[in-house]
């Protein structure tokens, strides 16, 4: 099957600041793809280009098989977009916001009424449905905005863009959104997600790209990225300063100071055999190591490793 999203050499500048620098992307249909990066790395600009809201200076992109520049109307019929900030009409009730969005997306009056009620229930807003949204809390507005992005029949949405969708949500609401994302993907919708929550990307994404200074620094599954850029680390804690110096002398290249005093961090593949081998080599007389901890890589480790020297440019 052709990719749901394909971008080649996307370049975008604002004045003298280059936001995207020949960015390439390839997203398979029916998957969840997460774009990570520090503030100013170009995540939102990427979403805006792919959603036809901004034109690239150079490069090409196709979404749902359509060119984002020459076939904008076709792209817009195939996508749904939820931006970083809640966009609700404060002069309308929650029900009216969803009903209006449903009508604008092409649903009939009865279908719009049913869809609004379904989404209010799904996002825990039924009791607040008849209240003006200017009385909603920030989290409630965000949930309503997310619901508005889902008013269309999921089968009509080939690609859904979610730009930091869970910002400001409480843990329960975040879990609810994660379930919605899983349901959309299971139904064949491609979900393109930007997020600042690395746990969110780890749980949801089939593939992840880490963006820095407008370029892809790395791409792969969460497991691949953790194995490639972070791996495992054995943290050994020495009894005292003299023990620590002896451990440093015996340690192989690549070892370095750990997260606390008298601690040495040693790269390892995480297997029991390798951990035993390292402990025996570091402390053959079993007198220098007080305790040890095996540190399993997280996406936080990957993110910090890849973006340590990248200066933000523009959102």
């Amino acid at each position: 099957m052709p990719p749901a999203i394909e971008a080649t050499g996307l370049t975008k500048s604002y004045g003298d600041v280059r936001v995207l620098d020949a960015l390439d992307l390839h997203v398979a249909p029916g998957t969840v793809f997460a774009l990570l990066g520090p503030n100013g790395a170009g995540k939102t600009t990427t979403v805006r280009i792919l959603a036809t809201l901004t034109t690239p200076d150079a490069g090409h992109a196709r979404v749902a098989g359509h060119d984002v520049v020459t076939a904008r109307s076709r792209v817009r019929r195939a996508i749904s977009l939820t931006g970083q900030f809640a966009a609700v009409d404060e002069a309308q009730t929650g029900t009216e916001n969803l009903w209006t969005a449903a009508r604008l997306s092409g649903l009939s009056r009865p279908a719009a009424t049913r869809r609004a009620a379904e989404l209010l229930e799904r996002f825990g807003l039924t009791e607040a449905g008849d209240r003006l949204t200017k009385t909603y809390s920030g989290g409630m507005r965000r949930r309503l905005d997310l619901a508005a992005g889902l008013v269309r029949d999921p089968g009509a949405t080939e690609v859904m863009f979610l730009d930091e969708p869970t910002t400001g949500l409480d843990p329960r609401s975040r879990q609810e959104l994660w379930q919605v994302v899983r349901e959309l993907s299971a139904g064949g919708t491609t979900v393109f997600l930007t997020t600042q929550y690395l746990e969110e990307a780890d749980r949801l994404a089939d593939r992840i790209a880490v963006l820095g200074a407008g370029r892809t620094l790395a791409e792969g599954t969460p497991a691949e990225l953790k194995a490639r850029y972070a791996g495992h680390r054995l943290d050994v804690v020495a009894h005292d300063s003299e023990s620590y110096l002896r451990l440093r002398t015996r340690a192989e290249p690549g070892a370095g100071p750990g997260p606390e005093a008298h601690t040495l961090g040693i790269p390892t593949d995480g297997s029991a055999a390798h951990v035993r081998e390292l402990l025996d080599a570091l402390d053959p007389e079993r007198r220098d190591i007080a305790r040890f901890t095996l540190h399993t890589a997280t996406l936080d480790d990957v993110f910090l490793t890849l973006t340590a020297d990248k200066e933000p440019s523009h959102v």
Side-chain angles (χ1 to χ4, degrees), residues 74-270:
R74 293 186 178 183
V75 172
R76 290 174 181 175
R77 285 196 293 268
I79 69 171
S80 176
L81 169 64
T82 296
Q84 284 189 21
F85 306 103
V88 298
D89 187 344
E90 294 187 346
Q92 290 187 324
T93 66
T95 299
E96 290 168 343
N97 267 276
L98 294 182
W99 187 88
T100 301
R103 288 289 289 149
L104 290 173
S105 70
L107 271 63
S108 66
R109 289 176 177 270
T113 300
R114 289 193 300 270
R115 188 61 175 155
E118 291 170 359
L119 289 170
L120 286 171
E121 181 177 1
R122 166 175 278 186
F123 284 88
L125 294 170
T126 299
E127 293 184 2
D130 293 332
R131 284 168 42 193
L132 293 178
T133 55
K134 66 181 180 181
T135 68
Y136 283 18
S137 67
M140 292 171 67
R141 292 187 189 195
R142 189 58 174 156
R143 299 206 310 265
L144 183 65
D145 186 48
L146 293 167
L150 296 170
V151 292
R152 298 176 61 192
D153 181 349
T157 302
E158 296 184 50
V159 180
M160 171 166 279
F161 292 99
L162 300 176
D163 192 10
E164 299 188 18
T166 59
T167 299
L169 293 185
D170 59 75
R172 181 180 297 277
S173 298
R174 185 173 295 133
Q175 290 278 353
E176 291 171 353
L177 176 67
W178 290 357
Q179 184 58 37
V180 170
V181 170
R182 294 186 184 103
E183 292 172 2
L184 288 168
S185 178
T189 299
T190 303
V191 179
F192 189 97
L193 171 77
T194 76
T195 181
Q196 296 285 4
Y197 300 110
L198 301 186
E199 179 194 9
E200 186 166 272
D202 202 357
R203 291 198 182 193
L204 293 178
D206 298 296
R207 291 187 70 81
I208 294 170
V210 181
L211 202 62
R215 292 187 176 186
T216 301
L217 304 177
E219 183 179 338
T221 67
E224 288 171 348
L225 292 176
K226 284 183 261 188
R228 190 185 315 161
Y229 294 101
H232 296 78
R233 188 182 74 241
L234 180 68
D235 289 341
V236 295
V237 182
H239 283 289
D240 50 38
S241 298
E242 292 184 0
S243 295
Y244 178 74
L245 291 175
R246 284 193 291 269
L247 293 175
R248 284 296 303 265
T249 301
R250 300 182 189 121
E252 298 179 356
E260 57 182 289
H262 297 158
T263 304
L264 193 65
I266 303 101
T268 174
D269 62 12

Side-chain angles (χ1 to χ4, degrees), residues 13-85:
S13 297
Y14 292 98
D16 296 330
V17 178
R18 177 161 288 193
V19 184
L20 296 181
D21 190 7
L23 178 67
D24 296 334
L25 290 172
H26 186 102
V27 181
T31 61
V32 179
F33 187 93
L35 190 63
L36 306 180
N39 290 332
K43 302 186 299 298
T44 295
T45 298
T46 301
V47 170
R48 289 181 60 83
I49 289 174
L50 296 176
T52 75
L53 300 177
T54 299
T55 302
D57 298 333
H60 303 279
R62 298 178 70 84
V63 175
H66 309 297
D67 189 280
V68 298
V69 175
T70 62
R72 290 186 178 187
S73 60
R74 293 186 178 183
V75 172
R76 290 174 181 175
R77 285 196 293 268
I79 69 171
S80 176
L81 169 64
T82 296
Q84 284 189 21
F85 306 103

